[in-house]
Amino acid sequence: ISQLCEGGTIFSASRKGRAFTIMRHPVKLAASLFYYRRIATWEPTYRSDYNDITLQQYVEMDGYYDNWMVRMLSNARLGGLNEGHLELAKKILKDKFVVGISDHMDETFRQLEIYYGWKEKREGCVQFHLHSAPSNKNKYPETERGGEVWNLIADKNKFDMALYYFALEVFGDQSEKVFREGKVMQY
């Protein structure tokens, strides 16, 4: 987040800027990260020992890093979190970001293209990479929605869950109020 704060110094009332983020459901993110770290030998975060434990054991470990997004946005990397951290994260997310949702990538990219004025160099390139040839797909067992492990992860990440549901609202509001008619209405 320190980079976000430092980057913010180049903006002013007359030179506005907005970052973007693509939010992923916290349970899906935790599962994906766990399984990825088991195979990603090229990453400094690779953990061969994770091949000997389950997702549930990973989440129950001492040192499991919960509520990552709220921690990063509120600059509370260590220690407990409270509603104040969540409210700060919500404010930063709403005020400083164009919010995308990983489960809605077509609409996310539509909004990003409008906001940043992005144009495809080759027709259909975005669709191809989003749907035909995703480059970062790690196959792993899906966590059963509402099951014991799902609920455990959701409980451990209760602030990120709340932030994610807030992000869904922001995303919906952007679609309706900001990115209507293929242009930025006001932001």
Side-chain angles (χ1 to χ4, degrees):
I1 202 72
S2 64
Q3 293 88 351
L4 180 63
C5 294
E6 291 168 7
T9 62
I10 64 172
F11 303 115
S12 66
S14 61
R15 290 188 9 224
K16 295 182 179 179
R18 192 173 285 269
F20 75 86
T21 188
I22 300 174
M23 299 287 290
R24 190 170 186 187
H25 191 286
V27 174
K28 293 178 181 181
L29 179 61
S32 177
L33 180 61
F34 168 71
Y35 288 110
Y36 178 76
R37 291 178 73 190
R38 293 169 85 172
I39 64 160
T41 56
W42 56 91
E43 294 280 359
T45 59
Y46 168 68
R47 295 286 302 265
S48 62
D49 55 319
Y50 283 7
N51 285 301
D52 300 324
I53 63 172
T54 66
L55 176 58
Q56 180 171 345
Q57 290 169 324
Y58 162 70
V59 175
E60 291 174 336
M61 286 173 47
D62 286 340
Y64 172 73
Y65 201 63
D66 61 8
N67 298 294
W68 185 86
M69 194 64 165
V70 169
R71 289 182 182 284
M72 293 301 110
L73 288 173
S74 66
N75 203 22
R77 294 203 168 101
L78 300 173
L81 295 175
N82 59 44
E83 291 296 321
H85 295 103
L86 175 60
E87 292 308 313
L88 176 59
K90 285 179 176 181
K91 180 171 178 25
I92 292 169
L93 190 69
K94 185 175 183 181
D95 293 350
K96 305 293 182 187
F97 288 87
V98 174
V99 176
I101 302 294
S102 66
D103 287 338
H104 301 282
M105 288 303 289
D106 289 320
E107 177 61 16
T108 293
F109 263 82
R110 185 187 78 81
Q111 292 181 15
L112 293 173
E113 287 171 337
I114 292 168
Y115 187 80
Y116 292 106
W118 294 345
K119 304 280 185 232
E120 285 185 292
K121 290 184 179 179
R122 286 187 307 183
E123 182 73 29
C125 185
V126 170
Q127 288 301 313
F128 175 75
H129 285 285
L130 286 181
H131 301 291
S132 301
S135 61
N136 192 12
K137 277 285 194 193
N138 176 25
K139 294 191 184 328
Y140 56 86
E142 270 194 44
T143 306
E144 180 189 348
R145 185 178 291 272
E148 180 182 355
V149 176
W150 180 283
N151 292 337
L152 172 67
I153 297 170
D155 288 345
K156 286 239 181 188
N157 291 283
K158 69 180 183 179
F159 293 109
D160 271 7
M161 291 293 293
L163 184 66
Y164 177 76
Y165 289 118
F166 176 77
L168 288 173
E169 292 175 25
V170 172
F171 181 70
D173 288 347
Q174 287 173 179
S175 294
E176 291 176 20
K177 298 173 185 164
V178 179
F179 298 107
R180 287 190 318 239
E181 302 163 19
K183 60 184 177 184
V184 178
M185 302 308 280
Q186 62 177 336
Y187 219 1

